[in-house]
Amino acid sequence: MAASKDMLGSSSPLLLERSSFLPNSRDLLLRRPNELCFSPSLVLPTRKGRLNAGRNFKAPFAAISEKPPLIKRVWASEEKPVKFTVRAALTVRKKSKEDIKETIANHLDALSDKIGRNVVLELISTHIDPKTKKAKKSSEAVLKDWSKKANVRTERVIYTAEFVVDSSFGEPGAITVRNRHQREFYLETIVVEGFACGPVHFDCNSWVQSSRDHPEKRIFFSNKPYLPSQTPAGLRDLRENELKALRGDGKGVRKSSDRIYDYAKYNDLGNPDKGIEGVRPTLGGDEIPYPRRCRTGRPPSDSDLGAESRVEKPYPMYVPRDEAFEESKQDTFSAGRLKAVLHSLIPSLIASIDADNQDFKGFHDIDKLYKEGLLLKEGLQDHLLKKLPFVSKIQETSQGLLRYDTPNIISKDKYAWLRDDEFARQAIAGINPVNIERLQVFPPMSKLDPEIYGPQESSIKEEHIVGQLNGMTVQQAIEAEKLYMLDFHDAYLPFIERINALDGRKAYATRTIFFLSQTGTLKPVAIELSLPSTTPSRPPKRRVLTPPTDATTHWKWQMAKAHVCSNDAGVHQLVNHWLRTHACMEPFILAAHRRLSAMHPVFKLLHPHMRYTLEINALARQSLINAGGVIESCFTPGQYCMEISAAAKASPPDLVRRGMAVPDPTQPHGLRLLIDDYPYASDGLLIWSAIEKWVRTNVDRYYPDAARIKSDAELQAWYAESIRVGHADKKDEPWWPALDRPEHLTSVLTTLIWLASAQHAALNFGQYPLGGYIPNRPPLMRRLIPDESDPEHSNFLADPQRFYLSSMPSLLQAINFMAVVDTLSTHSPDEEYLGERQQPSTWTEDAEIVEAAYEFSAEIRRIEAVIERRNADPKLKNRCGAGVLPYELLVPSSSPGVTCRGVPNSVSI
């Protein structure tokens, strides 16, 4: 509280806000005839900083005399209302780059504005007109000086408009905008001044379409939050009409200018019109349960009426207009895609000329990607530059276009990834720190059907590991909470036979057991590699490897770790990253726009955590998770990637379910971590608690009891639709909390904000810094580990390094993967980070929430300082030490680029 007051000064920014273009509205100013006359504000601060509500004041309204020079103070009790003028300032954001069509349209709009085809606005009162029984309205007003400012070269342009209202108008609660120009424009904010209540803010941040495309008026509500039951009479119809417009009718093909939010199954990942190789199953439904995605309404494919037709690049996939990337984000993403093209196309051409350039022959070939780049053959450089004109836009040498930045994982210690302790450290401080679990039953047990997949009991026995437990028995180590596991057995085994039948794909279903040392670090003590039975009468083939004792077992152990990492990379990308952040958030976002008014305090709370998610998910369906897309090309499961994603449990295992923490009310966050130095968990608990406190403040402010929650029709409709429609295939699962108490609402909202911000950041922004060095974390494996009876065993013995590298992605597979994860790990310049939202007073008028928002921001800054201190603490060996990378994925702030840190508000990449 004290910190936030220091930031704010002695007064709340909401209560003492001043006009940017009118005199101080708290003073009663008498001007020349026809100028505005202001009364004292009706919004009075209390000692607690809350709005002084619930009292009836008879204060004078601002007025303009009808007969100058008479100045008249008009009181609310007068029978004959007097007309007066108020003024609005609209902030419009302009594009920094325009193509020829846009430039021409801009000039035409400037000309048409002069002849009366303007942008027309109208104020809507919170009060009902007793005669018409409808909301009171101002006169229509035209946006001034559009043509004069058409050529202004600035990011934002301020326009003004003047409205005539009468003294009984009351407080404005909404404003309508009709765009009679030819092109859309981006409206950021509107501020209306001249009313006794003080400046009225409208937080718009939306594209306003031409009335030719969308003849209905756009509605924007003021920043004053209202629960549905508290909506002023003048706004009730507008509130419901706006939500109906956003829901649409579920029919037709969506246009890029539409603002319709609706649901569909994932039936657009394949392209059956390309033949059998393009067929992919529909995700969503009884056969393959999956969350829903945004409906586009595209017609079915020619070959399969159940499959939606594809839209391929460069044509855009539909998302509601306001969900599309803004210009700076689009530029950053397009630059990343250009980089990906250059990294994949040019080497592809090289490979087509030099057939011997398919595999890495040694680790020095991988190092060249970062040091020298790929050298083009003589004459090929000029040829490519002529064929690819966009290359000239990049101010780099041709070799620079083929050179990658050195990933963080090898920047401090080039060979750290080879060590067992680093392999184990990344299970709790790497890209995928959410699968590690405490071993509570030995041997580990499968949950798969034994009739199909064989005995459920693991083949890891006590004799495999007992010599590595510092003198403990296995049972003693379990009781002392010393044994941990990465278990990918059940996730992969049902798919192994199909995966291994693919050309150039080989996989095991793996389990890895770790022992927790006295220093707080983990060490791997056994890896189990499982293959399914080839015939019903034979048991599955399993082998257990333990830390090496000679050269041969050293290389086999390294290959076993590589297969574990490949399993881990697949589960990370397909389940924890894509499914449990991107895909699971989408239905909640769709439902929020369909069921929660922009005036709803829960919508205002969630709004920054929904930014860009629908767009990045649409782009993923177009080129990442689709048939033949990057995920299938770069990960071991190939065409079965999304089926593995769908087979995963929808409810993610949290710290307690994984046995990584136990409830403990004496601890700051109510949990005791069983591995004290668990960077993801210890940093994450700080952020979780800050989010939870911020959410609880909002919930307590608007929902003092269970009755208020149960009676909120919009809130209940949002939650019910998110589950029953958006997650329809899992709607009857027992783990969905009932939305019937403040603590349940706090839990639901905290979880959603956590998933969109911190959880996604922890799983996403380390992909290139930690995974950009392929041997550290190969996403794809091409060979199994040969045993002595295998014909390849002699090749393995003759050149184990080359065999090892040939089991990993080829040169082209590696550089394609590196280019993509480089783009996915990049923060754009317009990123909005946790605790860094626009001025709270622009999106809410509630002084208590404004103050809490500043406190939340201050708490996030304090957490950042704590994490930085932890990363410098030599006692924390999983994040500090010789060659050890600090754990920065949950450090809240970041600069643009690939920084391996930063927690954006939303799933934005």
Side-chain angles (χ1 to χ4, degrees):
M1 185 76 72
S4 64
K5 287 184 178 178
D6 290 341
M7 295 170 63
L8 298 173
S10 60
S11 302
S12 167
L14 175 65
L15 302 178
L16 299 182
E17 197 156 38
R18 293 174 180 264
S19 167
S20 59
F21 60 92
L22 289 177
N24 185 347
S25 58
R26 300 183 67 213
D27 299 327
L28 182 62
L29 303 179
L30 297 180
R31 299 287 186 178
R32 295 189 304 273
N34 291 328
E35 289 195 339
L36 288 178
C37 173
F38 294 90
S39 71
S41 173
L42 293 180
V43 182
L44 304 177
T46 67
R47 285 181 294 177
K48 292 185 178 180
R50 300 189 182 185
L51 298 182
N52 193 346
R55 300 186 183 179
N56 296 318
F57 292 92
K58 295 218 172 173
F61 286 80
I64 289 183
S65 171
E66 294 179 340
K67 297 181 179 180
L70 176 64
I71 302 296
K72 185 176 183 180
R73 296 172 69 183
V74 184
W75 296 84
S77 59
E78 288 198 19
E79 295 181 2
K80 294 183 180 180
V82 177
K83 302 291 184 181
F84 66 99
T85 300
V86 296
R87 186 159 57 156
L90 292 82
T91 302
V92 173
R93 188 165 68 223
K94 302 189 69 174
K95 294 183 68 173
S96 60
K97 301 174 185 176
E98 292 183 342
D99 57 29
I100 295 297
K101 290 183 179 179
E102 290 172 327
T103 301
I104 293 174
N106 192 29
H107 286 303
L108 290 175
D109 283 341
L111 291 173
S112 63
D113 193 81
K114 291 181 178 180
I115 60 173
R117 293 202 58 83
N118 316 103
V119 176
V120 182
L121 305 95
E122 193 173 33
L123 286 176
I124 311 296
S125 174
T126 57
H127 295 173
I128 291 288
D129 188 321
K131 294 181 181 179
T132 64
K133 306 301 181 183
K134 295 181 179 180
K136 294 180 179 180
K137 299 180 180 180
S138 71
S139 63
E140 289 191 339
V142 172
L143 211 60
K144 295 182 178 180
D145 298 330
W146 186 281
S147 59
K148 292 181 180 179
K149 298 178 179 180
N151 296 318
V152 173
R153 299 299 177 190
T154 184
E155 184 178 0
R156 291 172 175 82
V157 179
I158 307 296
Y159 299 95
T160 61
E162 292 185 349
F163 303 89
V164 176
V165 297
D166 63 45
S167 54
S168 64
F169 183 83
E171 181 180 341
I175 191 168
T176 64
V177 182
R178 184 194 297 127
N179 176 14
R180 301 200 299 180
H181 293 162
Q182 294 190 56
R183 60 181 298 203
E184 64 181 5
F185 65 88
Y186 191 84
L187 181 58
E188 281 193 343
T189 61
I190 303 173
V191 182
V192 178
E193 295 205 354
F195 287 97
C197 60
V200 180
H201 292 265
F202 296 80
D203 188 32
C204 306
N205 288 304
S206 178
W207 290 97
V208 180
Q209 301 297 323
S210 169
S211 57
R212 294 183 177 182
D213 298 321
H214 294 273
E216 64 277 5
K217 298 177 181 179
R218 280 300 309 277
I219 303 168
F220 297 103
F221 297 103
S222 73
N223 67 345
K224 193 169 185 177
Y226 294 105
L227 294 175
S229 61
Q230 299 168 342
T231 309
L235 303 180
R236 288 172 190 164
D237 288 345
L238 287 179
R239 182 170 186 148
E240 183 54 36
N241 291 341
E242 174 72 353
L243 288 174
K244 285 181 180 178
L246 292 170
R247 289 195 290 267
D249 59 7
K251 301 176 182 178
V253 179
R254 299 270 63 89
K255 300 179 295 184
S256 60
S257 60
D258 285 345
R259 298 170 58 240
I260 307 298
Y261 296 79
D262 207 352
Y263 305 91
K265 297 176 182 178
Y266 281 75
N267 64 343
D268 63 340
L269 301 183
N271 189 348
D273 293 341
K274 288 187 175 182
I276 190 65
E277 68 278 1
V279 174
R280 293 295 181 272
T282 293
L283 304 185
D286 294 336
E287 291 186 10
I288 307 181
Y290 215 69
R292 299 302 187 257
R293 47 95 174 176
C294 183
R295 178 186 178 275
T296 68
R298 295 194 306 272
S301 66
D302 295 332
S303 305
D304 183 355
L305 295 181
E308 191 170 274
S309 56
R310 292 280 301 169
V311 173
E312 306 292 354
K313 291 179 180 179
Y315 299 104
M317 188 91 77
Y318 169 77
V319 293
R321 182 65 183 98
D322 291 337
E323 305 301 323
F325 287 166
E326 295 173 18
E327 188 176 15
S328 60
K329 174 74 171 182
Q330 185 61 53
D331 288 346
T332 301
F333 192 79
S334 296
R337 284 193 295 178
L338 174 61
K339 188 175 181 181
V341 168
L342 294 171
H343 278 99
S344 59
L345 176 60
I346 297 177
S348 296
L349 293 175
I350 298 172
S352 67
I353 296 171
D354 186 358
D356 194 37
N357 195 20
Q358 294 295 323
D359 293 335
F360 295 110
K361 300 179 182 64
F363 290 106
H364 61 278
D365 287 342
I366 303 175
D367 295 340
K368 284 182 180 179
L369 295 175
Y370 317 112
K371 293 181 179 179
E372 302 173 15
L374 292 174
L375 298 177
L376 303 180
K377 289 183 176 291
E378 186 176 354
L380 184 59
Q381 173 181 329
D382 293 338
H383 172 74
L384 289 175
L385 293 177
K386 291 177 182 177
K387 293 291 185 181
L388 304 174
F390 50 75
V391 172
S392 61
K393 299 177 182 179
I394 306 289
Q395 300 300 313
E396 296 180 306
T397 66
S398 61
Q399 288 188 24
L401 295 173
L402 301 175
R403 186 186 300 125
Y404 286 85
D405 294 330
T406 301
N408 292 25
I409 190 63
I410 59 172
S411 63
K412 295 183 72 173
D413 184 347
K414 184 177 178 181
Y415 302 106
W417 65 274
L418 281 166
R419 300 196 311 266
D420 285 357
D421 64 292
E422 178 62 22
F423 168 74
R425 189 190 73 85
Q426 290 187 38
I428 56 176
I431 309 172
N432 187 37
V434 298
N435 274 101
I436 187 79
E437 60 183 294
R438 181 162 55 91
L439 185 63
Q440 302 179 60
V441 175
F442 188 86
M445 300 291 290
S446 168
K447 293 182 175 62
L448 297 176
D449 186 348
E451 294 293 325
I452 300 174
Y453 299 104
Q456 293 179 316
E457 188 176 275
S458 168
S459 59
I460 302 176
K461 305 301 181 184
E462 182 155 359
E463 55 264 29
H464 288 127
I465 64 175
V466 69
Q468 304 174 68
L469 306 183
N470 288 0
M472 293 181 177
T473 66
V474 170
Q475 188 58 37
Q476 287 172 336
I478 288 176
E479 292 173 357
E481 300 168 341
K482 294 290 187 180
L483 290 180
Y484 295 82
M485 177 173 61
L486 283 178
D487 189 352
F488 301 119
H489 178 276
D490 289 8
Y492 272 85
L493 193 64
F495 298 91
I496 291 296
E497 187 174 3
R498 284 178 284 169
I499 291 171
N500 289 346
L502 298 173
D503 184 33
R505 309 290 172 112
K506 292 293 182 284
Y508 298 98
T510 68
R511 287 190 183 101
T512 308
I513 294 181
F514 302 89
F515 179 72
L516 180 64
S517 69
Q518 292 181 345
T519 62
T521 59
L522 295 171
K523 66 174 182 178
V525 296
I527 295 175
E528 180 186 45
L529 306 173
S530 298
L531 296 172
S533 173
T534 54
T535 62
S537 61
R538 298 182 62 182
K541 183 178 180 181
R542 297 171 177 174
R543 62 195 296 187
V544 177
L545 286 82
T546 55
T549 57
D550 55 43
T552 300
T553 56
H554 165 81
W555 280 105
K556 290 186 176 182
W557 177 250
Q558 293 297 337
M559 286 193 67
K561 290 195 299 182
H563 275 283
V564 172
C565 288
S566 179
N567 275 192
D568 188 77
V571 170
H572 159 259
Q573 194 70 269
L574 304 172
V575 179
N576 297 325
H577 180 205
W578 167 256
L579 173 64
R580 291 178 177 161
T581 62
H582 285 259
C584 282
M585 280 297 299
E586 186 155 350
F588 286 97
I589 294 171
L590 292 170
H593 285 281
R594 289 166 53 86
R595 297 297 176 182
L596 293 176
S597 168
M599 292 187 284
H600 200 291
V602 170
F603 185 89
K604 290 179 178 290
L605 175 66
L606 290 177
H607 188 252
H609 306 290
M610 303 189 290
R611 183 176 185 240
Y612 290 155
T613 303
L614 298 187
E615 171 79 341
I616 196 63
N617 286 3
L619 291 169
R621 301 201 316 273
Q622 192 171 41
S623 59
L624 290 178
I625 63 173
N626 60 303
V630 170
I631 299 299
E632 289 191 0
S633 300
C634 294
F635 288 82
T636 302
Q639 67 190 61
Y640 306 110
C641 278
M642 294 309 293
E643 291 183 62
I644 288 180
S645 171
K649 294 180 180 178
S651 178
D654 61 21
L655 291 170
V656 175
R657 290 195 190 102
R658 288 189 283 125
M660 300 302 293
V662 293
D664 186 345
T666 68
Q667 296 297 309
H669 310 290
L671 292 176
R672 176 175 63 86
L673 294 176
L674 300 184
I675 300 178
D676 291 333
D677 185 15
Y678 183 0
Y680 158 78
S682 55
D683 293 357
L685 283 172
L686 294 175
I687 294 178
W688 173 277
S689 296
I691 295 172
E692 186 178 48
K693 181 181 177 183
W694 160 236
V695 170
R696 190 184 304 113
T697 300
N698 280 264
V699 171
D700 290 348
R701 176 74 177 89
Y702 297 105
Y703 300 99
D705 51 46
R708 188 73 63 86
I709 291 177
K710 293 177 182 178
S711 65
D712 188 332
E714 285 185 8
L715 182 71
Q716 294 296 332
W718 162 71
Y719 189 62
E721 185 173 287
S722 297
I723 296 170
R724 306 198 68 80
V725 181
H727 290 273
D729 311 321
K730 299 289 184 179
K731 66 180 184 300
D732 296 322
E733 294 291 340
W735 31 257
W736 293 110
L739 206 63
D740 57 359
R741 298 203 300 261
E743 55 267 34
H744 286 170
L745 178 57
T746 298
S747 176
V748 168
L749 296 176
T750 300
T751 300
L752 292 176
I753 295 173
W754 163 263
L755 289 175
S757 57
Q759 182 79 333
H760 178 260
L763 295 169
N764 182 74
F765 292 103
Q767 290 190 82
Y768 185 81
L770 300 179
Y773 186 70
I774 296 298
N776 176 60
R777 188 178 171 79
L780 181 151
M781 294 296 288
R782 295 187 290 155
R783 293 192 180 202
L784 298 176
I785 304 172
D787 55 33
E788 294 182 358
S789 62
D790 196 309
E792 287 194 324
H793 195 260
S794 58
N795 294 332
F796 166 73
L797 293 177
D799 193 342
Q801 176 180 289
R802 187 158 188 172
F803 190 93
Y804 176 79
L805 289 173
S806 69
S807 71
M808 294 190 176
S810 68
L811 171 63
L812 295 182
Q813 290 169 330
I815 57 182
N816 283 338
F817 173 77
M818 291 162 63
V820 170
V821 295
D822 178 60
T823 300
L824 298 181
S825 302
T826 300
H827 291 290
S828 64
D830 72 335
E831 200 79 88
E832 293 180 357
Y833 295 96
L834 195 64
E836 293 181 358
R837 193 174 175 182
Q838 65 198 74
Q839 284 287 82
S841 57
T842 65
W843 55 265
T844 181
E845 190 184 288
D846 192 321
E848 183 174 326
I849 298 302
V850 169
E851 188 169 12
Y854 280 110
E855 289 181 359
F856 175 58
S857 180
E859 179 62 19
I860 293 297
R861 300 285 77 76
R862 285 193 289 270
I863 289 171
E864 184 161 321
V866 171
I867 295 175
E868 289 175 351
R869 287 197 298 272
R870 288 175 174 177
N871 284 330
D873 187 346
K875 295 191 297 294
L876 302 177
K877 299 186 183 301
N878 289 317
R879 63 202 307 163
C880 182
V884 176
L885 292 178
Y887 187 74
E888 297 183 310
L889 289 169
L890 290 176
V891 173
S893 69
S894 175
S895 55
V898 181
T899 62
C900 203
R901 60 182 284 160
V903 180
N905 275 322
S906 60
V907 178
S908 58
I909 189 66

